[in-house]
Structure formats: C-alpha cells, structure tokens
Amino acid sequence: WFHKLGSPPHFYRIAGKWIPWLAALFAILTVAGLYGGLVKAPPDYQQGESYRIIFVHVPAAWMSLFVYMVMAFSGVVVLVWRMKMAELVLASCAPIGASFTFLALVTGSLWGKPMWGTYWVWDARLTSMLILLFLYFGLIALGNAISNRDSAAKACAVLAIVGVVNIPIIKYSVEWWNTLHQGATFTLTEKPAMPAEMWLPLLLTAL
C-alpha cells in the first residue's frame, strides 16, 4: 500500500477522496482564524489595528518556506529513486509556493508602510524572501523550457536542492544581521510573545 502511493493513478484516487474533507476543514479553520484575528483579538499595544495583517502575512510566509522544503525533498527523491509522483509534487508545488511568497511580500509591504514609513527596504529578511520568489519563478520557467519530461524533472530537482540554502538564511536573517524586520513570535522553547487571543487565531489560519 505504501509503495502504491508512488503511482500517480493510485495517488489521484486517494487524493480525490480526501479533497472534499480537506476543503471543508480549510473553510472552517480559515473562517475561525480570520474571525478570531480580525474581529475578536484585541488591538496591539504598540501597532494598534495594523498588526492584524499578521493573520494573513505570517501563515503565508510560513507556507512559502514549507512548500520549498517539500520541493527540495521531492527533488532528492527524483534524483535518487526517480519516482514519477515526486516529479509531479515538485512541479505542482512551484506555483503554490510562488503564490504564498508573493502574498507574504505584498502583505509585508502593506504592513511596512505605516510601521517603517516605506513599502520596501533592502532588509535581509525581505531580500531573501524576494530571492525565494525568484527561485520559484525560475523553477516554473525551467520546467516549461525543457521539452523532455525526465530532463526537466532532473533539472528542477537540482535547482530546488541548491536553492534550499536560502531557507535558513530567511529563517535566521533577523538574528544574523541587524534588520528592521521583527524577530520570531513563536519558538519551540519559549512562551509566545503574545496573548492566546492573538496566537490562537494565527495558529488556526496557518493550519
């Protein structure tokens, strides 16, 4: 059963059954998270109402990194085990990741205008996120430029694996360099730097 998941027709049958349930779960979590974040959560003591953009911005940024990690892992599977399902995952993730990265950059710019006085600064976090968007665009373009399917999959796999070096740069840029972007709100070892009325809706929108 596990190895059959590597077969696209078998995987499509399973995915087709899961999609309605996942769509319903998505709708519930999104509505609950946005209602909690945009309506129920109190204003921030420093940023006021403008902080509410984090309920879209932060989950989008998290997903942009997560999707690229999925692509890099799929790239390893493509090169080592040559699984067709991994090729499909790699190709399918690129436009999804590009969309989340673009959303993170746009919402971050909208937040930056009232906070920093400008929509864009060549900050380490912002610049590395822009590079991530270019990596996604490059993967999409590379996959479409090569007519041979196997060659395109291998080329995209190599680019995805090489580009993964940008992920820790994005993650730790606010710690390695003096940046305008604020530090991490959530860590695995420390208590969240915001009350439950704020971080719970953020968790729901991320899920």
Side-chain angles (χ1 to χ4, degrees), residues 116-186:
W116 302 338
T118 180
Y119 289 108
W120 181 265
V121 291
W122 291 102
D123 179 90
R125 171 64 62 83
L126 275 67
T127 304
S128 53
M129 281 295 291
L130 183 63
I131 292 172
L132 180 64
L133 181 62
F134 289 154
L135 281 170
Y136 278 123
F137 286 160
L139 281 159
I140 295 171
L142 184 62
N144 293 328
I146 303 175
S147 57
N148 183 276
R149 178 177 169 180
D150 291 336
S151 299
K154 291 178 182 177
C156 289
V158 171
L159 179 56
I161 294 170
V162 171
V164 81
V165 70
N166 190 44
I167 300 301
I169 293 176
I170 296 173
K171 167 65 177 172
Y172 296 106
S173 58
V174 294
E175 299 176 17
W176 292 346
W177 295 288
N178 183 22
T179 69
L180 287 174
H181 197 284
Q182 67 187 60
T185 304
F186 290 93

Side-chain angles (χ1 to χ4, degrees), residues 85-105:
M85 196 62 234
E87 296 179 9
L88 294 173
V89 170
L90 178 57
S92 300
C93 278
I96 298 173
S99 301
F100 278 117
T101 307
F102 180 76
L103 181 60
L105 287 170

Side-chain angles (χ1 to χ4, degrees), residues 27-42 52 55 197 201 204-205:
I28 293 170
L29 291 172
T30 301
V31 171
L34 291 179
Y35 177 75
L38 302 181
V39 179
K40 299 293 289 183
R52 297 185 191 279
F55 297 105
E197 296 89 344
L204 291 177
T205 52

